Amino acid sequence: MSKMCNQNIQPSTLIGEYLADQFGDLKSLNTQIHPQDEMLLFLLDAQRYEGQEEQAMLAYFKSAQEIVDRVDQAIQWHHRGWHNIGRFLEFACGYGRLTRFWREKLDKDKIWASDIYTNAVNFVSQELGVNGIYSVVDPSSYHCEEKFDCIVIYSLFSHLPADRFVQWLKRLYDLLLPGGLLLFSVHDQAVKPPGYEMPESGILFVEQSESQSLDRAEYGSTWVTEEFVKGAIATSMDDKVSYTRIPRAFTLQDLYVVVKTPDCDFSDLNINFTPKGALEDYFMDDQGRFFLRGWSAIVQPDHGVAEIQVWWKGEGGNQLLQKCIPSTPSPKAAQVLDIDPRWTEQAGWWCAFSLPEEVDLETGMLMIKAVSDRQKERIIVLNWMKTLLPDGIGTQPAPKTTWKDAIRSQANWWRSKVLDNIWSNNIQSNLDRATLQATSDGPGMILELEGWVVALHSDITVEDIQIFLNGTLQQHCLPTCLRPDVAQYWGKPNYVYSGWIAQCYYPEAMKPERDRLKIEILDSEGETHTLCDRILATLL
């Protein structure tokens, strides 16, 4: 690990690509990680990342992004931008997992970083150039002469016993300027582990943590009720204070927003979360098509994932391979995120595509993005494309041929079934297949559709294939699957990637004999072409 930690991350790595995509220019961002950084060591020791150092480091930066995003939104709300902050303190900064990003937003002279680990403070001071303050166990002995416009404390109060919780809250509040902003996170009682009872005091403290050196009687694991936090704020601060709670703002931790002013109006504070997600299953069939299945959800009520995007990223550029809408129930998402299953009734997603023949599997990356209905995006999967081949981990047996062999072997493959063949000045399209399949995740079924579409003019492209049930958009996709038969029929090699396959959830209450399926194709000229508009039962 030390070799990876002591070098700046290059753009050609997974982490470099991730940072460039999410944060833009990498030239000014310091990406060095200290070998003793407990956040990375914890991830490296986790069973999920066993033997996968690069994925553990990616998780390190992804979790940082989630925290930075929430803090940024709170500061934009209260201070109307980072430029209005004169002094900023990150308390319990560790080895700078977040501090490196504050340096992108503020001048180093405006940032103070404090931690009980002297090596950590020395590292962020020397590496990032910020002001360092050594912390202590007892808040009454904490020496700091500065006052701050904003103080951020992530994942400290989720480790403190009751007395230290209140004492540190008071000490840090005393360092806040009038009108200043204090942001801290806690574990709410809603995420306490099974087998533990919440004491009447409203705080559960257990002497266990990921720290390898701190006294666990002072730094363990803590879960609290909102009533306890409310009481701690009342005890620690004068009456010139306002606060609000943002549940699950950091997935498993709540965010408390404290403003050093009375009667603050929080009604316009809207913290929009970014999606979480995972790739659960993938395989390639004997026609060279890849099938991906996963989930994506947001730990926020009345808030969902609008789209999944699958990208290939390589030396020759980036290419959107497929897109889809999460539409199926996902018990796995509810289990992983520890949330109400009702929040994940449309978290499952599925898509199909074929890789362009020019893709270099040795240098290319597969990136899967989730985009929320409030236009917040997050990379949920980023890995080398070669990890998909040759064996995969799918429910289907892996093909014996490579994906390029599969493309070449289909030169004379032909599919003759035609249902709705449409013609227009710009678009030729066909729906080959419509089937209803049982789902293993509960009631309801899966509607699977397959077809192809080509643009007859070289200056026109197909932008979207949209699938409606009874007038409601249920799914969309791109024509990126192999169809050499279409290319052969039209005598145009560029039509070889004209196929599409899409799935959407079909609830138990719906009836094929009365439900209407409509498929529309949008082209780059802004024209809409109706491929199919029929009662579903007539297509099955």
Side-chain angles (χ1 to χ4, degrees):
M1 188 191 79
S2 58
K3 181 180 179 181
M4 299 181 71
C5 293
N6 290 330
Q7 293 183 355
N8 272 317
I9 294 165
Q10 300 301 312
S12 57
T13 64
L14 291 180
I15 299 91
E17 186 63 52
Y18 168 80
L19 293 172
D21 184 278
Q22 296 291 289
F23 298 103
D25 189 5
L26 277 175
K27 293 179 181 178
S28 62
L29 181 68
N30 189 310
T31 57
Q32 291 208 12
I33 304 174
H34 193 280
Q36 294 177 325
D37 192 318
E38 286 189 342
M39 294 305 302
L40 181 58
L41 292 173
F42 175 76
L43 290 167
L44 287 168
D45 289 340
Q47 186 176 1
R48 178 182 176 185
Y49 300 109
E50 187 175 354
Q52 300 183 64
E53 287 190 353
E54 198 168 26
Q55 285 296 323
M57 292 182 70
L58 183 59
Y60 174 93
F61 283 104
K62 285 178 68 176
S63 60
Q65 178 205 12
E66 184 176 28
I67 302 161
V68 169
D69 173 77
R70 307 303 185 271
V71 171
D72 185 65
Q73 290 184 68
I75 286 176
Q76 294 297 332
W77 164 76
H78 184 63
H79 289 290
R80 308 303 178 198
W82 288 85
H83 61 281
N84 290 319
I85 294 179
R87 290 180 176 85
F88 176 92
L89 170 64
E90 182 190 356
F91 189 77
C93 65
Y95 286 90
R97 179 173 60 134
L98 304 179
T99 320
R100 69 186 79 243
F101 294 105
W102 313 140
R103 276 288 286 112
E104 296 297 297
K105 301 174 183 296
L106 286 173
D107 184 82
K108 62 183 181 180
D109 295 332
K110 295 182 178 181
I111 302 172
W112 278 256
S114 183
D115 199 272
I116 199 166
Y117 288 136
T118 57
N119 285 343
V121 175
N122 293 339
F123 178 76
V124 296
S125 296
Q126 296 167 10
E127 195 66 42
L128 302 174
V130 301
N131 302 289
I133 307 175
Y134 298 132
S135 187
V136 290
V137 172
D138 184 357
S140 63
S141 301
Y142 184 67
H143 179 70
C144 177
E145 297 179 352
E146 302 292 337
K147 299 285 186 178
F148 302 95
D149 298 295
C150 181
I151 301 175
V152 171
I153 315 106
Y154 176 75
S155 200
L156 171 67
F157 291 98
S158 53
H159 294 281
L160 297 180
D163 55 346
R164 293 299 191 211
F165 192 110
V166 176
Q167 292 164 9
W168 272 117
L169 203 55
K170 175 175 175 51
R171 182 69 185 100
L172 292 167
Y173 177 75
D174 289 342
L175 299 178
L176 205 61
L177 287 165
L181 182 67
L182 177 69
L183 305 171
F184 68 94
S185 69
V186 303
H187 283 136
D188 187 74
Q189 63 173 339
V191 298
K192 67 178 176 61
Y196 288 95
E197 293 293 329
M198 180 61 65
E200 291 184 7
S201 62
I203 180 168
L204 170 65
F205 177 75
V206 180
E207 293 187 10
Q208 60 184 32
S209 77
E210 70 275 8
S211 174
Q212 301 300 312
S213 57
L214 296 178
D215 181 357
R216 290 179 181 173
E218 292 282 350
Y219 188 90
S221 296
T222 305
W223 295 267
V224 294
T225 64
E226 184 173 0
E227 282 300 309
F228 173 84
V229 179
K230 180 180 179 180
I233 290 174
T235 301
S236 307
M237 307 173 187
D238 56 34
D239 56 1
K240 297 178 181 180
V241 64
S242 305
Y243 88 91
T244 190
R245 169 187 170 226
I246 312 294
R248 305 296 294 273
F250 304 114
T251 305
L252 292 178
Q253 296 200 43
D254 294 357
L255 169 64
Y256 278 84
V257 181
V258 179
V259 179
K260 198 169 186 176
T261 187
D263 305 318
C264 179
D265 182 8
F266 292 99
S267 62
D268 60 345
L269 172 60
N270 297 308
I271 303 292
N272 295 321
F273 297 4
T274 45
K276 311 287 281 188
L279 174 63
E280 291 187 89
D281 196 15
Y282 57 86
F283 65 88
M284 185 186 85
D285 68 5
D286 59 2
Q287 295 169 18
R289 301 177 301 192
F290 286 86
F291 296 84
L292 308 183
R293 180 176 64 86
W295 61 266
S296 183
I298 297 177
V299 189
Q300 194 170 20
D302 304 319
H303 191 9
V305 178
E307 184 175 79
I308 299 295
Q309 299 174 355
V310 181
W311 291 81
W312 165 68
K313 302 178 79 67
E315 294 180 354
N318 305 329
Q319 182 174 342
L320 180 62
L321 298 174
Q322 194 50 276
K323 59 183 181 180
C324 65
I325 300 172
S327 66
T328 61
S330 177
K332 181 69 171 179
Q335 177 186 354
V336 170
L337 299 178
D338 192 18
I339 58 177
D340 191 324
R342 290 175 295 181
W343 293 12
T344 61
E345 287 180 345
Q346 293 183 308
W349 58 266
W350 180 99
C351 69
F353 59 90
S354 297
L355 288 176
E357 192 169 1
E358 64 270 19
V359 165
D360 184 352
L361 291 177
E362 291 301 316
T363 60
M365 302 175 189
L366 178 76
M367 181 179 74
I368 303 177
K369 275 187 178 181
V371 184
S372 81
D373 52 13
R374 300 178 189 176
Q375 298 306 302
K376 298 286 291 184
E377 69 173 40
R378 181 180 175 88
I379 295 175
I380 58 175
V381 174
L382 182 62
N383 213 335
W384 298 105
M385 191 75 78
K386 60 187 176 183
T387 62
L388 289 175
L389 295 172
D391 297 324
I393 57 171
T395 57
Q396 300 280 339
K400 295 181 180 179
T401 57
T402 68
W403 64 278
K404 290 188 178 182
D405 290 337
I407 293 175
R408 299 184 185 110
S409 68
Q410 295 181 76
N412 297 314
W413 179 64
W414 174 249
R415 183 170 291 179
S416 59
K417 183 179 179 183
V418 175
L419 292 178
D420 287 282
N421 198 2
I422 67 167
W423 173 272
S424 73
N425 291 332
N426 295 333
I427 298 293
Q428 176 72 28
S429 183
N430 186 67
L431 174 63
D432 292 332
R433 177 174 61 87
T435 59
L436 280 174
Q437 308 169 8
T439 173
S440 59
D441 294 328
M445 303 188 76
I446 301 295
L447 174 62
E448 185 167 305
L449 305 168
E450 182 173 3
W452 56 266
V453 56
V454 297
L456 302 178
H457 300 284
S458 59
D459 57 345
I460 294 175
T461 57
V462 175
E463 298 295 308
D464 204 10
I465 299 165
Q466 299 184 339
I467 298 162
F468 298 83
L469 281 173
N470 300 327
T472 301
L473 179 65
Q474 299 290 336
Q475 190 55 273
H476 71 164
C477 65
L478 294 171
T480 55
C481 288
L482 279 167
R483 286 303 293 266
D485 59 319
V486 176
Q488 183 184 33
Y489 178 81
W490 290 96
K492 293 188 176 182
N494 59 307
Y495 287 177
V496 71
Y497 292 98
S498 59
W500 59 270
I501 307 175
Q503 280 190 356
C504 60
Y505 185 60
Y506 192 77
E508 190 177 29
M510 299 185 75
K511 302 295 180 184
E513 60 270 17
R514 70 185 183 203
D515 295 327
R516 196 164 197 89
L517 174 70
K518 187 174 184 179
I519 304 176
E520 292 188 340
I521 298 165
L522 278 62
D523 68 25
S524 55
E525 296 287 303
E527 297 289 329
T528 300
H529 313 266
T530 301
L531 165 59
C532 172
D533 189 1
R534 290 170 57 174
I535 295 297
L536 180 58
T538 65
L539 300 171
L540 299 175

